[in-house]
Structure formats: structure tokens, C-alpha cells
Amino acid sequence: MSDATNPETPENPDDDRSKPAGPAEPSAPAAPEAPAPEAPASDVPVGTDTPEQQTGRQRLAAGLWPPRVSRAQLIVALLLFVLGLGLAIQVRSTSDNSALRGARQEDLVRILDELDDRTQRLEDEKARLETQRSELESSSDQAEEARKQTQEKEQQLGILAGTVAAEGPGITLTIRGAAAAVESDMLLDAIQELRAAGAEAIQVNDVRVVADSYFSGSGADIEIDGTKVTAPYVFKVIGKPEDLEPALNIPGGVVQTLEKEQATATVARSQKIVVDALRPAKRPDYAQSSSQ
């Protein structure tokens, strides 16, 4: 009884007896206990949960915000947006076509008739606008041509009336002599001969001679339209020189008549004669245009 309850007795005595007895091994000295490592200082601020302490929703929110988007992600997002937009347009177009595809035959015929009517109205409007454009262009051309003709007519009438200056080929007639040798009627005869030969503009000294000009006085008191002129009398005449000069030199003409009165008359041709003496424009008191 005492052996069975002894705690130092091995459970299998046969095993203990099988081991040879030998010198007892010296026991190894106990290693000194290493000091416990100090816990590293935590970088987590006070009051902030560590990742282990955060819930799944908090970790998801922390991963999504703030967003970290790369350039490749932006390009992919843009391509996806464009693709989605194209798909939406295609779906809408397909829906419209499907609406027509599902329409009845009577509705389709009515739609075609409306399109034909609208096309015809547009064609008519186009033709009307083209006609108006042609009329406007024609009227504009006619108005421009009328304006040019009016300006030309105004210049021509101004030259004849002496209200505008003129230049062109012609002759210069210079009459010299004693005061008693040249009379006003001799100057008037010279003007008549020049007009008959085709003179278009005439100036004597500083006086413009026109259709209603008149000569008065004699000797040293000759006047043209009330303006006194003195020798030498210089005629500036615009016209064809080949016609003007022979008209003055015909037998019994102006030149021979002046030579008989001891006066001299010389004629010089020129390709540019300037007649710049002007007369004031007069408005008729009673005469009015009869054109409506």
C-alpha cells in the first residue's frame, strides 16, 4: 500500500531497471531572465482607433476618401463616360426608329405626305428668295448705272454752264493790238467761229464764256458779262485742234479781219488746255422741269 501511493516511484519499474546506472550528470546553471522589452511608443494620436480597433465601414471610408486618382484612372473614366454617352444616343435613336417601325401604314403614309408638302414649301420659298435676290441685284445694277449716267450728265451740263472746270486738247488764241484796233464785236465774231468749229469750253482772260455771255463796250472798255477785259486777249478753247485752227484762218475770217485793223492773232495748238474760270450756278426763277 505504501509503495503504490509514493509519488516518487516510477509507473513502470521495469523501465527503470533496464537503464544502466551511471554517474549523475551535473545540472546546468539557470539562465538569467532577460528583461521584458519596452513597448514602442505608439504614433496613433490619443483618442484615435488603431486599424485593429476600427470597424469595417470606417476602414472602407478611410480607403475611399480622400480619393487617390491616377492619370490612367482619369483616362479610363473619360473613355467610359464617352462610351456611355454613345450608348445612350444609340438607344434613343433606336427607340425613335422603333416608334416609326411600330406605326401603322396609314400613319406612315400621312408622315410621308407631310414631308413631301414641307419639302415643296421649302422649294417654293427658295425659288421666291432667289427671284427676289435677282431683282435686287438687277435693280442695284440699274440704280448704279443710273447714278453713273446722272454724274456724267451733271459734269457735261456743268461744263456747258461754266460751273465746273474742264481740261482737254484745244488751242490758245492770243489777240494783241492797240486799244482802238480791237472792238467787242471782233471778239464776239471769234467766239462764234470757235463755237461753229466745235469748241466745248471757252475762257477769255479770266472770264468763262457760256451760251448766254454777252460783249459790250469798245476800245479799252470792253466787258464780257459785265467784267472788264484788257489786251492782250487770251482765248483758251477746248475742242479738236484740227478743226478749231482752220476755222480761224479761213479767208475773210477772224485772223484776216484783225490783221486789217492792225492787230495780230496767233494760234497755238496744245493737247492739254485747262479752262478753270467758273461761273456761279443760277437757279431759274420761273422755268421748271416738265418731267414727272
Side-chain angles (χ1 to χ4, degrees), residues 163-190:
T163 57
V164 297
E167 66 177 29
I171 63 171
T172 300
L173 170 64
T174 305
I175 299 176
R176 293 181 176 87
V182 181
E183 298 292 339
S184 59
D185 57 344
M186 297 179 181
L187 301 180
L188 181 58
D189 290 340

Side-chain angles (χ1 to χ4, degrees), residues 32-113:
E33 295 182 359
E38 296 180 358
S42 177
D43 294 336
V44 180
V46 178
T48 304
D49 296 337
T50 62
E52 293 77 3
Q53 297 174 347
Q54 292 179 347
T55 63
R57 183 178 297 178
Q58 291 175 343
R59 287 195 298 272
L60 179 60
L64 294 177
W65 191 264
R68 298 177 179 85
V69 182
S70 64
R71 183 176 181 181
Q73 292 174 340
L74 287 176
I75 294 175
V76 171
L78 180 60
L79 292 176
L80 290 176
F81 173 76
V82 174
L83 179 60
L85 181 61
L87 289 175
I89 295 174
Q90 182 66 27
V91 169
R92 183 175 181 181
S93 175
T94 304
S95 300
D96 295 340
N97 293 334
S98 62
L100 292 177
R101 192 177 299 113
R104 296 180 303 174
Q105 183 177 2
E106 294 79 2
D107 296 335
L108 294 176
V109 172
R110 178 179 54 81
I111 293 173
L112 290 176
D113 292 339

Side-chain angles (χ1 to χ4, degrees), residues 5-23:
T5 60
N6 188 1
E8 295 179 358
T9 303
E11 294 179 358
N12 192 354
D14 294 336
D15 294 339
D16 292 339
R17 286 192 301 268
S18 65
K19 292 180 181 180

Side-chain angles (χ1 to χ4, degrees), residues 20-238:
E25 294 181 0
S27 60
E33 295 182 359
E38 296 180 358
S42 177
D43 294 336
V44 180
V46 178
T48 304
D49 296 337
T50 62
E52 293 77 3
Q53 297 174 347
Q54 292 179 347
T55 63
R57 183 178 297 178
Q58 291 175 343
R59 287 195 298 272
L60 179 60
L64 294 177
W65 191 264
R68 298 177 179 85
V69 182
S70 64
R71 183 176 181 181
Q73 292 174 340
L74 287 176
I75 294 175
V76 171
L78 180 60
L79 292 176
L80 290 176
F81 173 76
V82 174
L83 179 60
L85 181 61
L87 289 175
I89 295 174
Q90 182 66 27
V91 169
R92 183 175 181 181
S93 175
T94 304
S95 300
D96 295 340
N97 293 334
S98 62
L100 292 177
R101 192 177 299 113
R104 296 180 303 174
Q105 183 177 2
E106 294 79 2
D107 296 335
L108 294 176
V109 172
R110 178 179 54 81
I111 293 173
L112 290 176
D113 292 339
E114 291 178 354
L115 290 177
D116 292 339
D117 293 341
R118 183 176 181 184
T119 302
Q120 186 62 38
R121 288 196 301 269
L122 292 176
E123 290 292 338
D124 295 341
E125 182 68 14
K126 177 183 177 182
R128 184 181 65 83
L129 293 176
E130 289 179 350
T131 303
Q132 288 183 355
R133 183 185 65 179
S134 300
E135 292 176 354
L136 290 174
E137 290 177 351
S138 177
S139 62
S140 177
D141 295 340
Q142 292 177 359
E144 182 66 19
E145 183 65 24
R147 186 181 64 83
K148 290 181 179 179
Q149 293 180 2
T150 301
Q151 290 180 346
E152 293 177 358
K153 193 66 174 179
E154 181 182 2
Q155 291 292 327
Q156 295 173 1
L157 294 176
I159 292 174
L160 296 177
T163 57
V164 297
E167 66 177 29
I171 63 171
T172 300
L173 170 64
T174 305
I175 299 176
R176 293 181 176 87
V182 181
E183 298 292 339
S184 59
D185 57 344
M186 297 179 181
L187 301 180
L188 181 58
D189 290 340
I191 295 295
Q192 297 295 346
E193 291 289 347
L194 292 170
R195 284 177 175 170
E200 297 176 354
I202 303 174
Q203 174 179 331
V204 179
N205 290 2
D206 295 329
V207 180
R208 184 72 169 266
V209 179
V210 292
D212 59 350
S213 295
Y214 62 92
F215 290 76
S216 61
S218 60
D221 297 327
I222 296 178
E223 294 181 355
I224 303 176
D225 297 334
T227 301
K228 184 177 180 179
V229 293
T230 58
Y233 306 102
V234 179
F235 290 66
K236 295 180 179 180
V237 186
I238 295 177

